[in-house]
């Protein structure tokens, strides 16, 4: 997407990154698209309103986190944010990003559970035997990953390896901040009937001040696993329903019934698009207690 005053430099599955077209390098624009991805595929059509809702959720969490973050508050000194993306863009300070995905897990699932099944540990952290997919851990664990080249899967590493990569002081600061932020967010989500199973933070160094800055998106349902607490604790439910991703389960269930996982997935029908937006909206309302930015849902 062309944005006046900005040059597109990178696209992730669901977000796009822009640098100022005038060549200045103090800022970056992070634009959340309405794309939704599942099973490592970007799906069609986009979900109208998703980008704005997740940007609002990220901003809501940034405002509650007591660490410096990359959001620009003095917009006068920065390039203008184009109106067409204003509700789904973050104007940020450009940081020297640490090449570590700071993953914190309060429950064992996904790649963490897969590694546990193979080795009995995750990122070098030994866990008790007999854990099942989705089990809550007694205490959250920090399971960093080394940022692979854009588009590839990140590689789980030990804390000791992260020390080799970024040094003892930064590695320790990343771990301590990540565990503290996760625990606070998990406790807040629990009061809203939502289980925060895991999340991924990214940090950078501010080249001007040298301080550690919280970057990227925070605690969105693209960077975190959120489950419905009542479903999770209903042990009579099949596991896949207990561990249903709050926002993507409707899409995943529909794809499981309409796609054999070969080739490109079929386009989602309108009712699935509308139901999925409603799930994003329900997560936002439950976590924040407020209404998300309204977006036209094509019906
Ligand atoms: N403030 C910052 N300073 C320097 N670098 C970044 C940065 C680079 N990459 N990413 C992840 C990403 C964000 C969006 C769209 C993508 F495709 C990828 C974030 C940031 Cl946010």
């Amino acid at each position: 997407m062309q944005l006046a005053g900005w040059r597109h430099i990178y696209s992730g599955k669901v977000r796009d990154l822009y640098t100022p077209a005038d060549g200045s390098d103090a800022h970056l624009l992070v634009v959340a698209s309405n794309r939704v991805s599942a099973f490592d595929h970007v799906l069609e059509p986009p979900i109208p309103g998703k980008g704005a809702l997740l940007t609002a959720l990220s901003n809501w969490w940034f405002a509650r986190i007591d660490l410096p973050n990359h959001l620009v508050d003095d917009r006068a000194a920065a390039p203008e944010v184009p109106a067409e993306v204003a509700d789904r863009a973050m104007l940020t300070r450009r940081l020297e990003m640490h090449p570590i995905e700071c993953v914190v897990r309060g429950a064992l699932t996904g790649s963490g559970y897969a590694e546990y099944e193979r080795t009995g540990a995750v990122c070098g952290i030994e866990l008790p035997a007999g854990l099942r997919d989705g089990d809550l851990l007694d205490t959250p664990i920090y399971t960093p990953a080394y940022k692979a080249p854009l588009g590839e899967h990140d590689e789980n590493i030990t804390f000791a390896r992260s020390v080799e990569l970024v040094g003892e002081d930064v590695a320790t600061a990343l771990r301590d901040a990540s565990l503290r932020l996760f625990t606070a967010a998990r406790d807040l989500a629990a009061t809203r009937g939502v289980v925060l199973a895991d999340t991924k933070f990214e940090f950078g160094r501010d080249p001007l001040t040298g301080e550690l800055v919280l970057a990227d998106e925070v605690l969105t349902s693209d960077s975190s696993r959120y489950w419905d607490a009542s479903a999770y604790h209903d042990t009579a439910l099949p596991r896949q329903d207990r561990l249903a991703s709050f926002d993507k389960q409707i899409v995943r269930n529909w794809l499981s019934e309409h796609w054999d996982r070969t080739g490109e997935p079929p386009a989602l029908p309108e009712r699935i698009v509308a139901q999925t937006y409603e799930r994003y909206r329900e997560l936002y309302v439950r976590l924040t207690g407020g209404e998300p930015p309204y977006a036209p849902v094509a019906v």
Side-chain angles (χ1 to χ4, degrees):
M1 174 176 192
Q2 268 304 318
L3 289 181
W6 297 89
R7 181 164 57 80
H8 174 257
I9 50 176
Y10 176 68
S11 278
K13 283 198 179 67
V14 294
R15 292 178 305 159
D16 305 297
L17 203 55
Y18 297 81
T19 191
D22 68 5
S24 63
D25 66 355
H27 300 96
L28 278 178
L29 193 68
V30 175
V31 179
S33 74
N34 288 330
R35 302 189 295 266
V36 65
S37 90
F39 303 119
D40 266 349
H41 280 76
V42 176
L43 306 176
E44 291 297 333
I47 311 285
K50 178 203 177 229
L53 191 145
L54 288 193
T55 301
L57 182 56
S58 205
N59 288 335
W60 186 84
W61 281 112
F62 271 127
R64 276 157 186 73
I65 289 170
D66 61 352
L67 280 177
N69 66 55
H70 67 157
L71 297 179
V72 168
D73 36 36
D74 170 16
R75 296 206 160 197
E80 194 169 334
V81 176
E84 73 254 47
V85 295
D87 66 352
R88 57 190 177 89
M90 289 191 290
L91 176 61
T92 75
R93 294 184 265 159
R94 187 192 294 259
L95 304 169
E96 294 158 2
M97 296 303 282
H98 295 305
I100 307 289
E101 306 280 354
C102 299
V103 178
V104 181
R105 300 170 189 271
L108 190 62
T109 192
S111 72
Y113 181 67
E115 187 177 332
Y116 167 79
E117 274 195 307
R118 283 196 310 273
T119 69
V122 188
C123 296
I125 302 168
E126 295 286 323
L127 293 175
L131 293 174
R132 313 277 300 278
D133 185 11
D135 279 357
L136 288 177
L137 298 170
D138 291 344
T139 182
I141 57 175
Y142 176 67
T143 60
Y146 183 47
K147 270 191 207 172
L150 292 171
E152 290 169 41
H153 277 293
D154 305 318
E155 159 210 353
N156 280 3
I157 56 172
T158 61
F159 174 72
R161 178 66 184 127
S162 77
V163 170
E164 291 169 1
L165 288 164
V166 298
E168 174 85 38
D169 294 351
V170 169
T172 304
L174 294 178
R175 178 191 60 192
D176 296 353
S178 300
L179 284 164
R180 186 170 64 80
L181 295 184
F182 172 83
T183 304
R186 177 202 61 185
D187 294 349
L188 186 154
T191 67
R192 295 348 203 249
V194 176
V195 174
L196 174 63
D198 55 41
T199 199
K200 179 202 71 167
F201 297 114
E202 291 194 28
F203 295 85
R205 176 183 177 277
D206 183 314
L208 306 178
T209 66
E211 64 183 349
L212 184 72
V213 178
L214 180 58
D216 211 40
E217 61 185 322
V218 283
L219 293 157
T220 69
S221 45
D222 279 338
S223 66
S224 318
R225 283 188 176 87
Y226 282 109
W227 298 329
D228 176 79
S230 56
Y232 178 78
H233 293 294
D234 178 354
T235 49
L237 282 178
R239 189 167 295 275
Q240 73 158 23
D241 296 337
R242 291 183 50 226
L243 311 183
S245 146
F246 206 100
D247 51 313
K248 293 197 181 115
Q249 205 50 41
I250 291 169
V251 164
R252 286 206 185 110
N253 290 347
W254 187 85
L255 283 175
S256 302
E257 290 153 26
H258 297 84
W259 180 42
D260 63 2
R261 304 287 286 273
T262 64
E264 289 305 305
L268 304 174
E270 266 319 298
R271 73 181 188 289
I272 299 296
V273 169
Q275 286 169 25
T276 299
Y277 177 76
E278 274 313 306
R279 287 295 286 177
Y280 278 110
R281 184 186 155 282
E282 184 183 349
L283 178 65
Y284 182 92
V285 169
R286 281 176 59 172
L287 287 176
T288 70
E291 276 299 320
Y294 174 67
V297 181
V299 288

